Amino acid sequence: MAEMKLLLEHSNDPEYATLKGYLAKGGYTGLGKALKMERQAVIDSVKASGLRGRGGAGFPAWIKWNGIEKEITKPHYMICNADEGEPGTFKDKELMENTPFLVIEGMTIGGYATQSKVGYIYIRGEFVDACRAMRKAIDEAYANGYLGKNILGSGVDFDLYIHTGAGSYECGEESALMSSLMGERGMPRLKFPHAPLPTVAGLWDCPTIINNVETYSCVPFILDRGGEWYATLGASTKNSRGTKIFSVSGHVNKPGNYEVEFGTTLMELLDLAGGMKGGMLKACVPGGSSVPIINAADCERAIIGYEEMAEVKSMVGSGGCMFLNEHTCIVSFIWRTAQFYANESCGKCTPCREGTKWMFQILDRIVRGKGQPGDAELLVDITKQIDGRSFCGLGDAAAWPVAGAIRVFPEEFEYFIKNGRSMVDSAESRAMAPKWAQPAYS
Amino acid sequence: MSETVAIGTPRPRAPRPEELDLKFSESAVAELDALKTHYPDLKSCILPGLWIAQREYGGWLPPEAIAEVAFRLNRSFAEVEGVATFYTMYNTAHKPGRHMIEVCTCLSCHVCGAYRIVDYLEEKLGVKLGETTPDGMFTIHEVECLDACDRAPVLQIGDQYVGPVTSEMVDKILDDLRKVETPSAVQLSDAVVKVHLRDGDK
């Protein structure tokens, strides 16, 4: 199976980021069709497509849309989660920069289906270029009647605002994002079943729909060509439909975004990215830093799909696919992963705030050659105490890569702890290590 | 991110209302007023308001800047300070050098040699990560994933990403930056504020 370009079909064409170019390529036919349908029929179409959230969790998009109240008692809000922060992922950035109208059209369709009159795009503060592209596209859509009052003469109103973050990974979590949009510290809130779903009480306690950039970008195609058509893509998998954009990086010849149909193998994705650079394939993190690492043998048999990936004990996640060559020291890689989560934990709940710091401290002493016997078991024990016990998914996401790496590459951890140096020592692995860690690689 | 302020670091007390010396320019006040129409409440303007303040106060948020945002949005100083110190892109701890060079060392950049770029920057500028050169020209920071892994190793300077970076490129970047007068934090904050504003707001 080769690359299957749906969202990224025209991403290299600068015209596509303008309204004229977008319309010339069939843009806004999805919205045109949606506005002639009943609201419920739009939601049913998304249901038929089998579209699942592309932000990482893979939650069916239609359930959120369908869960919103049908009789309006409070204003409804749409949020586009563009706080892309997952290490390894850069697909939303490309979508916003090159295909901004897909996002706007998808949100407008969602706004119509869920009777939301206001939408916010929460973009991480670092993505200024993506913000500018979205700003330009939104202004153009307003000027031509595709946003604002009475869209295309249908009587539907939809306003779209940009809100930027200011540097916090945690704000990619939906309830933390809403806190941040409401002008608070970006900390998560209680979730179902202890608190109502965002579709009941989200932004300013009003019914709120929140989806990822890529999820919204799929919606125009679903409305244009039909949910049933979309569901034929990826039909070879158990329950993953459509296409998925993978951001391929690491030791590959052509890093970048590649869109593939579900059911494609991981090795085909690697081929698309030009194959390995600087050595043989050793391991892969298929879906962003939060998902467990898999070894080369599992890469050979991994099939891209939400359920299929679980067979190699990993996940599709957000699609941040990092391939690592034989010179990569897994201990060092996981040490850096742990540092990321320790820095980005918001500090609200104890398992995550303390656990991520402990994991980092233990990995740090291992990388400094001061590991103690039993450190690997201690790390596994800590991951068990974080996983499932933290307030939001950040804790789980911090625990999985550490636990996964120790499960897949136990010998590397044992060797590093016992000998105070890395099992992988070569000029290449030395080049990757921080200055202070050089003794472990010489 | 990796740079943290030690617990117990004294921070000047909040200015009292009568001590407020409002510094927002007319256009900044107009921008804040436009932003207020985007949300049903004033509290949501805290984040964009802090971006405006960071630009107006020269690239960082001293207590006076936070007090001014609090005053203009009718919130308490403590609330706005709490928000400002949560987010890493607000410079609340100290005023950075004229140009902030943020080096991503997260996963993909790590395996693509970002630590060599860190070494090179540290050696060339004679300062460590998180420090400012004595002439106040450069501050170097280590940051978490900038989500430009296809360009690893990547740097962020102002609103621009640069990558993949090599040591030769670093030389040129530093030389070019010396000629730029606008502090990178001001330029970034201005760019962020501008993207919030609709055509009708401007």
Side-chain angles (χ1 to χ4, degrees):
Chain A
M1 232 178 278
E3 201 170 6
M4 160 98 200
K5 284 191 170 188
L6 185 66
L7 275 58
L8 295 181
E9 192 183 352
H10 305 294
S11 66
N12 292 327
D13 178 7
E15 282 291 303
Y16 199 63
T18 65
L19 184 61
K20 196 171 153 231
Y22 184 68
L23 290 171
K25 294 282 184 335
Y28 275 113
T29 46
L31 178 67
K33 287 183 186 174
L35 291 173
K36 293 194 184 76
M37 291 158 74
E38 292 287 324
R39 294 177 201 278
Q40 190 58 42
V42 175
I43 296 172
D44 289 340
S45 197
V46 176
K47 181 182 179 183
S49 74
L51 176 66
R52 293 171 70 173
R54 299 287 192 249
F59 188 77
W62 76 274
I63 295 183
K64 291 185 181 178
W65 290 26
N66 199 41
I68 211 154
E69 59 182 23
K70 312 283 180 195
E71 298 289 322
I72 293 193
T73 56
K74 284 176 173 177
H76 295 179
Y77 293 102
M78 294 292 283
I79 302 177
C80 176
N81 185 342
D83 192 57
E84 183 173 53
E86 184 81 3
T89 317
F90 44 91
K91 63 182 175 67
D92 297 347
K93 180 155 132 280
E94 170 153 358
L95 285 173
M96 287 188 286
E97 285 175 7
N98 299 337
T99 64
F101 282 103
L102 279 181
V103 187
I104 298 173
E105 187 183 349
M107 287 190 79
T108 315
I109 294 169
Y112 167 68
T114 61
Q115 307 187 65
S116 314
K117 290 193 174 3
V118 179
Y120 292 97
I121 306 184
Y122 186 105
I123 309 178
R124 74 179 280 188
E126 288 92 338
F127 283 178
V128 183
D129 282 341
C131 291
R132 286 199 185 107
M134 286 306 302
R135 177 80 277 151
K136 195 165 156 282
I138 291 173
D139 286 342
E140 219 179 329
Y142 264 108
N144 292 283
Y146 289 91
L147 279 175
K149 298 265 177 260
N150 193 13
I151 292 171
L152 301 178
S154 62
V156 175
D157 303 340
F158 191 65
D159 280 311
L160 196 52
Y161 300 103
I162 290 178
H163 183 95
T164 69
S168 164
Y169 171 70
E170 178 55 17
C171 290
E173 200 277 341
E174 62 177 26
S175 63
L177 185 150
M178 289 184 222
S179 299
S180 180
L181 221 164
M182 289 186 282
E184 295 169 11
R185 291 167 77 91
M187 289 184 170
R189 302 182 159 215
L190 259 189
K191 285 202 197 53
F192 187 79
H194 306 290
L197 290 162
T199 48
V200 178
L203 208 53
W204 299 294
D205 273 345
C206 296
T208 306
I209 298 287
I210 179 164
N211 285 121
N212 178 263
V213 174
E214 194 186 345
T215 317
Y216 282 125
S217 302
C218 295
V219 172
F221 296 101
I222 292 170
L223 267 294
D224 182 22
R225 304 185 199 176
E228 288 74 18
W229 168 80
Y230 192 83
T232 60
L233 303 173
S236 65
T237 61
K238 200 171 164 213
N239 203 11
S240 316
R241 298 290 174 264
T243 59
K244 175 88 190 80
I245 302 174
F246 278 84
S247 310
V248 185
S249 66
H251 300 133
V252 293
N253 284 313
K254 290 192 290 176
N257 285 311
Y258 295 94
E259 187 173 5
V260 293
E261 196 178 336
F262 279 112
T264 308
T265 65
L266 198 58
M267 297 311 280
E268 285 171 315
L269 183 65
L270 176 57
D271 287 341
L272 281 176
M276 293 303 293
K277 184 173 72 177
M280 301 278 284
L281 173 65
K282 177 178 186 177
C284 171
V285 181
S289 66
S290 305
V291 312
I293 198 166
I294 57 178
N295 60 21
D298 280 340
C299 289
E300 298 278 353
R301 64 189 186 95
I303 295 169
I304 292 165
Y306 292 103
E307 281 73 23
E308 286 71 15
M309 218 47 138
E311 283 171 23
V312 291
K313 296 199 169 73
S314 195
M315 291 159 75
V316 171
S318 59
C321 193
M322 286 174 274
F323 288 100
L324 307 174
N325 69 19
E326 58 190 316
H327 303 294
T328 315
C329 171
I330 299 296
V331 181
S332 171
F333 186 80
I334 293 301
W335 160 81
R336 190 62 188 78
T337 312
Q339 184 187 329
F340 172 80
Y341 288 103
N343 281 340
E344 295 295 341
S345 173
C346 78
K348 177 160 182 152
C349 71
T350 313
C352 176
R353 181 187 63 237
E354 303 299 322
T356 52
K357 297 275 187 302
W358 292 343
M359 286 197 299
F360 174 64
Q361 282 169 8
I362 294 164
L363 281 159
D364 198 52
R365 79 179 175 213
I366 295 175
V367 173
R368 284 172 195 272
K370 299 202 173 81
Q372 295 167 10
D375 270 357
E377 293 75 21
L378 184 58
L379 278 170
V380 173
D381 186 54
I382 295 172
T383 63
K384 285 181 185 155
Q385 296 186 51
I386 302 174
D387 190 4
R389 288 172 164 82
S390 60
F391 203 87
C392 77
L394 193 146
D396 305 341
W400 293 335
V402 176
I406 296 176
R407 176 172 48 76
V408 180
F409 296 99
E411 66 287 352
E412 280 208 29
F413 284 85
E414 275 156 29
Y415 187 94
F416 215 132
I417 293 166
K418 194 169 163 216
N419 301 299
R421 45 185 287 110
S422 174
M423 203 165 124
V424 201
D425 58 359
S426 59
E428 289 87 347
S429 60
R430 200 154 47 244
M432 294 176 209
K435 192 161 59 181
W436 50 261
Q438 295 292 326
Y441 296 88
S442 51
Chain B
M1 304 202 179
S2 59
E3 189 205 6
T4 49
V5 182
I7 292 168
T9 304
R11 199 176 148 77
R13 68 170 172 80
R16 300 193 176 95
E18 64 273 18
E19 298 168 353
L20 274 182
D21 176 20
L22 300 179
K23 275 198 191 164
F24 273 26
S25 62
E26 248 172 62
S27 62
V29 175
E31 281 167 351
L32 190 60
D33 285 340
L35 284 167
K36 288 176 186 170
T37 64
H38 292 198
Y39 311 95
D41 67 356
L42 284 183
K43 194 171 139 191
S44 298
C45 295
I46 293 180
L47 264 83
L50 287 167
W51 279 115
I52 297 178
Q54 180 150 289
R55 179 190 66 195
E56 299 293 309
Y57 281 77
W60 77 304
L61 293 171
E64 296 74 30
I66 290 170
E68 177 156 1
V69 174
F71 169 78
R72 292 189 183 278
L73 296 175
N74 202 18
R75 314 298 307 181
S76 77
F77 178 87
E79 180 181 357
V80 180
E81 187 188 34
V83 174
T85 51
F86 182 84
Y87 298 94
T88 52
M89 291 176 80
Y90 296 132
N91 305 315
T92 50
H94 50 75
K95 186 171 185 172
R98 192 199 292 171
H99 297 297
M100 279 169 78
I101 299 171
E102 316 208 61
V103 196
C104 176
T105 59
C106 210
L107 306 179
S108 286
C109 290
H110 165 32
V111 300
C112 291
Y115 285 109
R116 298 293 76 79
I117 302 296
V118 172
D119 291 350
Y120 190 78
L121 273 169
E122 286 188 338
E123 192 194 308
K124 176 108 185 166
L125 298 175
V127 290
K128 296 237 173 313
L129 285 176
E131 293 176 354
T132 304
T133 52
D135 60 355
M137 185 64 83
F138 298 107
T139 302
I140 48 174
H141 277 289
E142 180 183 25
V143 288
E144 296 298 352
C145 192
L146 291 171
D147 279 327
C149 313
D150 51 340
R151 289 189 260 165
V154 66
L155 304 179
Q156 186 180 18
I157 299 154
D159 66 353
Q160 290 302 310
Y161 281 10
V162 193
V165 190
T166 57
S167 6
E168 295 81 54
M169 280 170 74
V170 170
D171 289 340
K172 183 165 185 315
I173 291 166
L174 295 180
D175 287 342
D176 289 348
L177 280 177
R178 281 179 213 280
K179 295 173 206 141
V180 179
E181 289 293 328
T182 316
S184 47
V186 172
Q187 189 249 344
L188 171 67
S189 307
D190 183 52
V192 172
V193 172
K194 290 281 189 309
V195 297
H196 278 88
L197 300 169
R198 289 159 38 174
D199 263 350
D201 296 335
K202 286 167 199 161

